[in-house]
Amino acid sequence: MDRVSVVTPTYHRPEPLRRALVSLFQQTGLRELAVEIVVVDNSPDANARELVETLSARAPFPVVYVSEPRPGVANARNAGVAVALGRWVAFLDDDEEADPLWLAALVDVARDTGADAVFGPIEARAEGGDIGPFAPFFERRIDRPDGADITALAARLGTNNSMFDRRACLSAPVNFDPGLNEVGGEDSLLLQKLVKSGRRFHFAPRALVREWAPRRRLTWAYVKKRKFLSGQIRVFVQNMTNPGRPGIIALWMAAGAVQTLIFGAATVAAAPFNADLSQKMAARLHGGLGKILWAPRFRPALYGRGLVS
């Protein structure tokens, strides 16, 4: 029987973690599929252990608790992959909630297409209220049919809501680069390396997860910082592949320059009439700037040091 391991890293988020795990316990449609859940506690004091042990008592699948006290999102993902036993390794972040058919939809696409990795959509929600104009900055929406090849969209993908064939994609002891622990992009770098090695990615539109954004993230200042870093990641991962890809870097930087000009003008034009639209354009302007200013000295930290993306 095939097995899928779900890796969920967590860091000081007990209630979101509870919601994520309960959604995993409610998975249905798992035809001839064994499931295990691997929770990686990235807190130095292992403060998620008690919650995980309490919840695992009523879990329909085995739950493995892993303490990884070295801070960093790459460290946490690597620790989870290291103990996972499944043919496939899926990732669900601790601020996400999986639809009941999430795993079944991912596995169905993997079986039908032979995909090396499968990705699903992400729908944004706000903790305690309406997410308003911030939704597009926390979502993944791809207008492609079930099983579609989305390898060409690798730059838009990440490990949140994903599943990898372990044998094809996760063979190294260190799959995610610890050098990116604080800024992120460790998953984008892995995806670029997989694309260069000929791996294929497919889409599972029925594999829906909801990402719950806390109120502290729903500010234009945070969204601009997030977009700036996202723009940087698009470029610097191309420089970190071996060998680097200077041609693609030049194209991304040119795209960033065009975006900076267009969205800069739109920000100014919209300001007197529609404040939200102006801020939305300014956020996209920051994405363009990130593609230009991608060198290490310009990179903000969204992970570690108490900052959580």
Side-chain angles (χ1 to χ4, degrees):
M1 179 181 294
D2 287 331
R3 180 189 309 213
V4 59
S5 303
V6 182
V7 174
T8 297
T10 188
Y11 181 75
H12 294 315
R13 292 200 280 217
E15 290 311 310
L17 175 61
R18 181 191 303 274
R19 178 174 55 215
L21 291 180
V22 169
S23 75
L24 291 176
F25 298 164
Q26 296 173 344
Q27 294 298 293
T28 61
L30 303 172
R31 297 176 289 109
E32 298 181 358
L33 183 68
V35 176
E36 70 169 358
I37 300 169
V38 179
V39 181
V40 184
D41 184 355
N42 203 208
S43 63
D45 59 352
N47 59 46
R49 182 188 297 271
E50 183 176 353
L51 173 62
V52 174
E53 290 178 349
T54 299
L55 291 176
S56 64
R58 59 188 177 94
F61 319 116
V63 177
V64 179
Y65 172 86
V66 178
S67 176
E68 172 48 271
R70 297 172 300 167
V73 63
N75 289 340
R77 296 196 196 284
N78 286 329
V81 172
V83 303
L85 299 176
R87 170 186 173 183
W88 295 294
V89 177
F91 291 93
L92 184 78
D93 288 352
D94 65 353
D95 59 354
E96 294 180 325
E97 180 183 21
D99 185 82
L101 289 172
W102 174 64
L103 266 184
L106 290 174
V107 172
D108 283 349
V109 168
R111 285 171 167 164
D112 291 346
T113 66
D116 297 304
V118 183
F119 299 83
I122 299 170
E123 179 183 277
R125 299 282 181 88
E127 298 277 13
D130 180 21
I131 198 166
F134 300 104
F137 301 100
F138 294 88
E139 293 186 329
R140 179 197 294 157
R141 294 187 180 274
I142 299 175
D143 186 19
R144 297 291 176 88
D146 197 45
D149 188 319
I150 57 170
T151 310
L153 303 180
R156 295 175 54 188
L157 304 174
T159 49
N160 52 337
N161 193 2
S162 65
M163 189 182 75
F164 295 82
D165 186 316
R166 152 187 294 287
R167 295 166 296 186
C169 300
L170 302 173
S171 56
V174 178
N175 293 282
F176 299 96
D177 190 337
L180 298 174
N181 268 323
E182 291 195 357
V183 298
E186 79 295 335
D187 50 355
S188 297
L189 178 57
L190 173 65
L191 296 183
Q192 289 301 318
K193 290 179 177 178
L194 292 175
V195 170
K196 287 185 69 174
S197 67
R199 303 307 178 192
R200 309 301 299 176
F201 306 155
H202 289 254
F203 188 53
R206 296 180 296 114
L208 175 68
V209 304
R210 286 166 289 279
E211 180 174 325
W212 290 86
R215 302 306 301 179
R216 67 179 181 275
R217 295 190 204 172
L218 301 182
T219 67
W220 287 115
Y222 177 84
V223 168
K224 290 172 186 175
K225 184 176 181 180
R226 181 178 172 122
K227 285 293 292 181
F228 183 77
L229 179 55
S230 176
Q232 290 181 314
I233 289 171
R234 295 280 176 96
V235 184
F236 74 63
V237 296
Q238 305 297 336
N239 193 52
M240 295 178 70
T241 58
N242 189 18
R245 308 167 85 180
I248 295 179
I249 290 172
L251 287 174
W252 276 121
M253 292 182 70
V258 171
Q259 290 172 334
T260 298
L261 291 172
I262 292 174
F263 292 121
T267 298
V268 174
F273 311 105
N274 188 323
D276 275 344
L277 178 60
S278 178
Q279 291 282 18
K280 186 179 293 187
M281 294 299 101
R284 300 194 185 284
L285 161 66
H286 278 72
L289 285 173
K291 295 182 179 72
I292 302 170
L293 304 174
W294 56 271
R297 65 181 178 274
F298 299 118
R299 294 176 196 168
L302 286 189
Y303 302 87
R305 301 180 187 176
L307 298 173
V308 180
S309 172

